[in-house]
């Protein structure tokens, strides 16, 4: 049994032989993961993954190295990205799969999303300073292999290292989230931008971990309808962030809205993520896997 926080989730057994082990959500040091992109690919293959998408936040730099490592071990590889957007003042993540890496509009769009991160980090550090936590900008930056992708995860790692919190989970309960010290509102891409960039580059757009957003049921339906209208094709049903109840809920919504279904661990690193690469349960029955369209 695996645990997400205190909630028992997903059996982490290997899949039945007939079901390909596809993991379409994970991070490398190009954003806020702990392993390099090739290391992520090699670990996925060692864990029995048949098809991997690396989905760093707002960045594509890890994809060539991950693809080369995947080729070396004979694992299928799909270009991926996780775009930070805001929808009605909420930070939401949209996954893109199987797009053209060289697409100029997508690359320019992602550069625009990245550009505000360092300034936001300075503001986050100033906000933490106000509650007596010093040195957060430099401390977080020490954890960021790619400074342009400085994220709340790097601040979280600094807060753990500095002894402010015992682990990342408690960081995101007491800091860095709306209403708590260290949170800074930020202008991300719009939903329409993100879907347009992904589709324009020949890719497939999917809502990442829909169960994680603080949306009422009615607002979630409004969000999904808008996503679908814009051309969004998939939602992540099986996710490292979903309890079994959330898997059921989003399996139902995927059927209702005729969305393709995705499966992704959201692995960030050993010892930090609850679910390792490829160690999720299979998609529930009656869903059309997004990877069948690649
Ligand atoms: P940012 O893109 O800088 O806003 O940082 C968001 C990242 O923080 C996410 O991609 C996660 O890696 C991490 N994160 C957010 N919420 C949590 C949480 N509750 N527990 C662990 N990590 C989280
Ligand atoms: Mn992350
Ligand atoms: Mn995410
Ligand atoms: Mn992610």
């Amino acid at each position: 049994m695996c645990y997400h926080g205190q909630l028992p989730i997903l059996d982490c057994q290997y899949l039945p032989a007939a079901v390909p082990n596809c993991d379409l959500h994970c991070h490398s040091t190009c954003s806020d993961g702990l392993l390099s992109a090739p290391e992520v690919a090699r670990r996925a293959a060692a864990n029995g993954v048949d098809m991997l998408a690396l989905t760093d936040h707002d960045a594509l730099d890890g994809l060539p190295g991950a693809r080369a490592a995947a080729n070396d071990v004979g694992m299928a590889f799909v270009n991926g990205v996780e775009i930070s957007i805001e929808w009605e003042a909420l930070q939401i993540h949209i996954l893109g799969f199987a797009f053209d890496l060289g697409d100029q509009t997508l690359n320019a769009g992602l550069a625009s999303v990245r550009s505000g991160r360092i300034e936001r980090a300075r503001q986050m550090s100033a906000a933490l300073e106000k509650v007596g936590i010093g040195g957060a900008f430099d401390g977080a930056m020490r954890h960021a292999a790619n400074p342009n992708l400085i994220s709340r995860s790097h601040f979280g790692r600094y807060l753990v290292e500095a002894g402010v919190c015992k682990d990342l989970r408690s960081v995101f309960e007491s800091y860095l989230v709306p209403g708590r010290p260290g949170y800074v509102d930020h202008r991300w891409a719009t939903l329409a931008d993100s879907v347009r960039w992904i589709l324009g580059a020949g890719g497939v757009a999917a809502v990442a971990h829909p169960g994680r957003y603080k949306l009422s049921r009615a607002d979630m339906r409004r969000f999904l309808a808008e996503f679908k209208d814009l051309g969004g094709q998939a939602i992540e049903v099986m996710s490292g962030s979903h309890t079994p109840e959330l898997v059921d809920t989003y399996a139902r919504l995927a059927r209702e809205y005729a969305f393709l279904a995705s499966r992704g661990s959201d692995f960030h690193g050993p010892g930090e993520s609850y679910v390792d690469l490829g160690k999720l349960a299979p998609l529930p029955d009656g869903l059309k896997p997004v990877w069948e369209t690649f």
Side-chain angles (χ1 to χ4, degrees):
M1 183 76 87
C2 285
Y3 287 88
H4 174 61
Q6 294 160 335
L7 298 163
I9 60 159
L10 324 169
D11 297 318
C12 290
Q13 81 277 29
Y14 284 99
L15 300 171
V19 179
N21 188 341
C22 300
D23 191 334
L24 303 184
H25 189 159
C26 60
H27 298 270
S28 77
T29 48
C30 290
S31 63
D32 60 350
L34 295 173
L35 303 179
S36 72
E39 283 168 342
V40 170
R42 286 193 286 270
R43 184 182 182 98
N47 283 1
V49 170
D50 298 305
M51 181 194 286
L52 181 73
L54 175 68
T55 54
D56 275 311
H57 298 286
D58 310 318
L60 309 180
D61 331 10
L63 297 174
R67 177 178 292 280
N71 284 347
D72 286 347
V73 292
M75 177 178 65
F77 185 80
V78 177
N79 288 337
V81 68
E82 183 174 20
I83 305 182
S84 315
I85 68 147
E86 52 176 319
W87 187 80
E88 301 190 353
L90 214 68
Q91 188 185 338
I92 286 183
H93 288 165
I94 300 296
L95 295 162
F97 300 127
F99 46 79
D100 168 15
L101 193 53
D103 184 84
Q104 290 200 357
T105 308
L106 173 65
N107 279 274
L110 294 176
S112 74
V113 179
R114 288 192 297 268
S115 67
R117 278 188 178 267
I118 292 184
E119 178 50 33
R120 180 184 69 143
R122 292 201 187 282
Q123 293 173 18
M124 288 169 65
S125 185
L128 289 169
E129 192 93 47
K130 283 200 183 123
V131 296
I133 301 165
F137 182 82
D138 292 342
M141 275 294 179
R142 278 199 299 277
H143 287 275
N146 181 355
N148 293 323
L149 264 295
I150 182 78
S151 84
R152 287 185 289 157
S153 308
H154 303 114
F155 277 83
R157 287 172 196 146
Y158 169 70
L159 293 180
V160 173
E161 175 191 271
V164 176
C165 296
K166 68 174 194 309
D167 54 22
L168 264 190
R169 199 175 116 81
S170 21
V171 169
F172 284 99
E173 280 164 3
S174 307
Y175 296 92
L176 314 183
V177 291
R180 298 288 184 172
Y183 182 75
V184 171
D185 210 12
H186 190 70
R187 300 274 77 84
W188 303 104
T190 66
L191 177 63
D193 285 339
S194 65
V195 174
R196 183 171 51 82
W197 297 338
I198 294 164
L199 268 56
V204 174
V207 178
H209 43 61
R212 247 171 69 171
Y213 309 122
K214 294 200 168 34
L215 285 171
S216 68
R217 263 190 235 181
D219 287 345
M220 175 53 77
R221 300 180 83 87
R222 219 156 41 75
F223 171 74
L224 292 177
E226 193 176 321
F227 176 69
K228 177 128 187 145
D229 279 350
L230 289 166
Q233 303 107 310
I235 64 174
E236 206 170 44
V237 171
M238 188 55 67
S239 158
S241 302
H242 283 175
T243 60
E245 292 71 27
L246 288 171
V247 172
D248 282 353
T249 299
Y250 288 98
R252 250 185 293 118
L253 286 168
R255 290 185 201 104
E256 182 184 329
Y257 286 81
F259 280 127
L260 300 165
S262 193
R263 172 178 184 266
S265 59
D266 205 0
F267 178 77
H268 280 68
E272 195 169 278
S273 294
Y274 302 116
V275 180
D276 208 330
L277 291 159
K279 301 291 181 94
L280 290 167
L283 284 175
D285 289 339
L287 297 173
K288 190 167 164 46
V290 67
W291 51 84
E292 289 181 1
T293 68
F294 298 157

